[in-house]
Amino acid sequence: MPADPFTIALAPLDERPVNTRYPQMIGAIAGVRVSLPPEEIRGRQRNPADLSAVADWLRHTGTETDGAVVSVEYLAYGNLIGSRTTGESVAEALPRLAVPEEIGRHGKPVYAFNLITRIPNADDCVEEPLYWCEYGRRLHGYSRLLHRRAANALTSDEREALERLEAEVPVAIRTDWLNRRLRNHTVNLSLIDLLARERIALLLITSDDTAEWGLASQEKLWLEHWLGLLAPTIGDRLLIHPGADEVGSALTARMICQFHGVRPTIHPVYAVPGGEEIIAPYEDRAVRLTVEGQIRACGAEVAPAADAADILLAVLPPSPRRTEFREEFAAAERADREPHYRDLFERMGEWRRAGRSVALGDVAYPNGSDPLAMERLLAPDSPVDPSSLAAYGGWNTAGNTLGTVVAQAVCSRFIGDDPARRRSQAAFLTHRFLEDYGYQARVRREARLFCERTFGRRDPDPESPEQVAAVCDAIASGLTQVLTERLQPRGIGVGLRIAPGSVRLPWRRTFEVDFTLTEE
């Protein structure tokens, strides 16, 4: 085992904070340094990273550190958007997989991850090929019907709809789209080959923004077929489940567990009876399967009972409405869910008073905390001290949220008496509450209203530094108010503040935000 402190080389999915800052902050909780490519070669949004420079960096850094976590999208295409938009062929992409092999030959563990390309149901080309602005929804519907046709599940109406879509979407566009999917699938099969030949230590294939029916789900079945055939060789070294932006954090936690030779046990407890069987938005399976997949991805095991667990994972399961939170159904949601939340928080308080490690995964709604749960959790008479939680998250899809929650909770096991690690834990917990609750459930709405009043649009003009700066100033003010008025009175973020000038919009849109916490 390498000497402490450990170091990990991370080739991230892209340059966004969820893929760079989060793994570094989570690693710091366990005293591990996560090394990233230099900022000048990372790329940004639709501009891919410098592939040659990234390969050189990873080749050098991966062999000098104790292990590597490698996004194949980043290594092969320059970032996640590049994997969806580049016209490169599979013959051009595959040779770039030689770098993880080389690191493995030096005796260093390589955890690789790659996605099954998503098919979003929106006429929006911000993160997709340009033709998605006109044909996105139709391609999503076409994908669903192709899968149903392959399963002999088409109704007569669906057959007509399929024929209509084939007439509406030009052949050239359908061919380009399917070629990209074929390339992605071939790369995933090649990664399984590398895993079976023990050229890499672990492979995680995730599906982003998926659904029960569609080519992404069909391709997942094809990959799982090979997993079944190669099971005697691969064992539990291949994982396939929903997710994307949480994977860098999850695999960082898993590698840290490997360094220490431990496998924590986690017992999930669901707030609403039966809620564990609900399929979360943008996913294709019951949320309990997502929970179990994320636990395994982070290097832990599912404990069958609370008494046998190192960590108790409280889960606010998806609302049956399967949509983002909206004020118009708040009263109905309160009546349905509040009694269950009250009971869960009472149990969490009892667990904490007994000295148990407790984490909270809030996946009631995508893209932000459940306001009803936060209202009770942050109340002065709440039975739970939120600042004592091992982890909290509620930021995006169920997979995104649960992966970061479990990763933080797992790494909190390695804090010990180290004051620097304790500070790192407090900082990341504060970051999660401030971003997932403070920003996504509160301040983001205010920021968009500010943009509409001031600029006549929901987001600032990305080409106007003045507009972006004005929105960031408004966000900083809103976040500071949440920190001082809602979080610090409950012990979260005491002694911390948002560093002046640190608030930024990584992709110059209000969907995600970045900021730095510093000691007062």
Side-chain angles (χ1 to χ4, degrees):
M1 183 185 299
D4 196 25
F6 306 117
T7 57
I8 295 172
L10 170 63
L13 189 59
D14 58 33
E15 82 290 354
R16 286 173 297 157
V18 294
N19 296 312
T20 53
R21 183 190 289 274
Y22 288 15
Q24 283 192 319
M25 295 181 77
I26 285 173
I29 294 169
V32 170
R33 183 174 63 85
V34 176
S35 178
L36 292 163
E39 287 191 22
E40 61 270 19
I41 69 170
R42 287 184 197 173
R44 181 175 182 180
Q45 205 166 357
R46 295 185 79 93
N47 296 317
D50 183 327
L51 290 176
S52 176
V54 166
D56 289 343
W57 171 85
L58 182 60
R59 185 178 290 109
H60 172 75
T61 307
T63 55
E64 293 295 320
T65 53
D66 298 302
V69 174
V70 180
S71 161
V72 173
E73 272 93 358
Y74 196 71
L75 187 63
Y77 312 111
N79 57 21
L80 177 58
I81 291 181
S83 73
R84 301 168 182 161
T85 60
T86 181
E88 289 189 323
S89 69
V90 68
E92 292 169 296
L94 287 180
R96 296 165 187 152
L97 304 185
V99 179
E101 275 195 278
E102 183 178 334
I103 296 170
R105 285 198 297 270
H106 281 78
K108 304 298 175 68
V110 176
Y111 293 174
F113 63 101
N114 201 50
L115 273 72
I116 299 171
T117 304
R118 73 176 189 175
I119 311 170
N121 187 18
D123 291 335
D124 184 336
C125 61
V126 170
E127 301 180 41
E128 309 297 330
L130 295 179
Y131 52 71
W132 219 263
C133 279
E134 184 174 356
Y135 295 103
R137 293 185 189 277
R138 282 178 280 190
L139 286 169
H140 179 272
Y142 184 53
S143 164
R144 177 181 178 277
L145 295 175
L146 287 176
H147 186 190
R148 288 183 61 80
R149 183 177 69 181
N152 294 316
L154 281 179
T155 66
S156 57
D157 289 345
E158 287 175 332
R159 287 191 190 92
E160 293 178 6
L162 181 59
E163 292 173 0
R164 187 165 56 250
L165 287 171
E166 286 181 333
E168 292 176 358
V169 182
V171 173
I173 288 177
R174 283 189 277 133
T175 301
D176 178 80
W177 170 62
L178 291 171
N179 277 342
R180 294 172 197 267
R181 302 204 65 80
L182 177 60
R183 179 192 61 204
N184 172 262
H185 187 66
T186 305
V187 169
N188 278 328
L189 288 172
S190 299
L191 290 168
I192 293 175
D193 173 70
L194 289 180
L195 184 71
R197 296 175 187 275
E198 299 189 352
R199 307 292 175 83
I200 55 178
L202 180 128
L203 174 61
L204 175 51
I205 297 177
T206 59
S207 47
D208 180 27
D209 289 3
T210 190
E212 182 180 3
W213 292 100
L215 291 184
S217 295
Q218 187 176 19
E219 290 159 17
K220 177 173 66 66
L221 293 174
W222 295 339
L223 296 171
E224 288 174 340
H225 171 74
W226 281 104
L227 170 59
L229 291 175
L230 294 169
T233 300
I234 291 176
D236 62 354
R237 295 184 300 122
L238 172 59
L239 305 173
I240 304 175
H241 58 243
D245 292 326
E246 83 290 345
V247 177
S249 296
L251 294 187
T252 293
R254 185 186 183 100
M255 190 164 282
I256 290 169
C257 287
Q258 177 185 312
F259 290 160
H260 287 278
V262 300
R263 193 156 187 152
T265 55
I266 300 176
H267 180 67
V269 179
Y270 298 89
V272 182
E276 68 274 14
E277 298 301 331
I278 296 174
I279 300 174
Y282 312 111
E283 297 196 353
D284 62 353
R285 61 190 67 190
V287 73
R288 67 175 172 81
L289 298 177
T290 297
V291 168
E292 293 167 5
Q294 294 296 343
I295 288 173
R296 288 190 291 270
C298 292
E301 293 180 349
V302 179
D307 291 345
D310 298 315
I311 300 165
L312 293 162
L313 174 61
V315 180
L316 309 183
S319 164
R321 289 176 169 81
R322 301 188 72 250
T323 185
E324 293 188 16
F325 180 84
R326 294 199 295 269
E327 290 294 339
E328 58 261 33
F329 54 66
E333 287 287 86
R334 186 184 301 278
D336 290 343
R337 300 173 76 89
E338 190 171 41
H340 299 298
Y341 287 176
R342 183 171 57 248
D343 292 345
L344 178 67
F345 292 158
E346 289 287 351
R347 296 170 69 187
M348 290 170 61
E350 293 171 2
W351 293 330
R352 285 300 303 130
R353 288 189 290 275
R356 307 295 300 277
S357 176
V358 180
L360 178 59
D362 179 354
V363 295
Y365 310 100
N367 300 323
S369 299
D370 180 351
L372 304 180
M374 292 301 99
E375 178 183 311
R376 173 157 291 277
L377 182 66
L378 297 177
D381 61 348
S382 171
V384 185
D385 173 6
S387 70
S388 73
L389 293 175
Y392 169 75
W395 60 279
N396 201 342
T397 67
N400 291 163
T401 289
L402 291 164
T404 52
V405 168
V406 175
Q408 182 184 4
V410 163
C411 286
S412 73
R413 303 287 297 169
F414 305 110
I415 293 174
D417 297 325
D418 190 304
R421 299 183 190 184
R422 226 180 265 119
R423 289 193 298 271
S424 295
Q425 166 73 357
F428 194 63
L429 189 66
T430 302
H431 204 283
R432 302 279 22 92
F433 274 107
L434 192 53
E435 182 168 353
D436 303 0
Y437 164 66
Y439 183 70
Q440 297 201 30
R442 293 168 63 101
V443 175
R444 178 165 57 193
R445 181 173 58 251
E446 298 166 5
R448 287 174 172 171
L449 289 173
F450 171 83
C451 286
E452 289 173 358
R453 289 195 306 267
T454 310
F455 312 123
R457 50 189 295 162
R458 192 176 78 160
D459 286 313
D461 180 351
E463 303 304 320
S464 170
E466 294 78 15
Q467 288 190 19
V468 172
V471 176
C472 288
D473 287 344
I475 291 171
S477 177
L479 290 179
T480 297
Q481 184 177 6
V482 172
L483 178 62
T484 58
E485 296 182 6
R486 297 290 292 153
L487 300 183
Q488 288 178 340
R490 295 294 287 125
I492 303 167
V494 175
L496 296 174
R497 65 188 179 108
I498 298 171
S502 69
V503 172
R504 67 185 188 93
L505 302 176
W507 281 2
R508 295 165 290 184
R509 62 183 186 182
T510 55
F511 183 76
E512 63 264 291
V513 72
D514 187 31
F515 55 88
T516 300
L517 292 169
T518 187
E519 295 182 358
E520 291 184 313

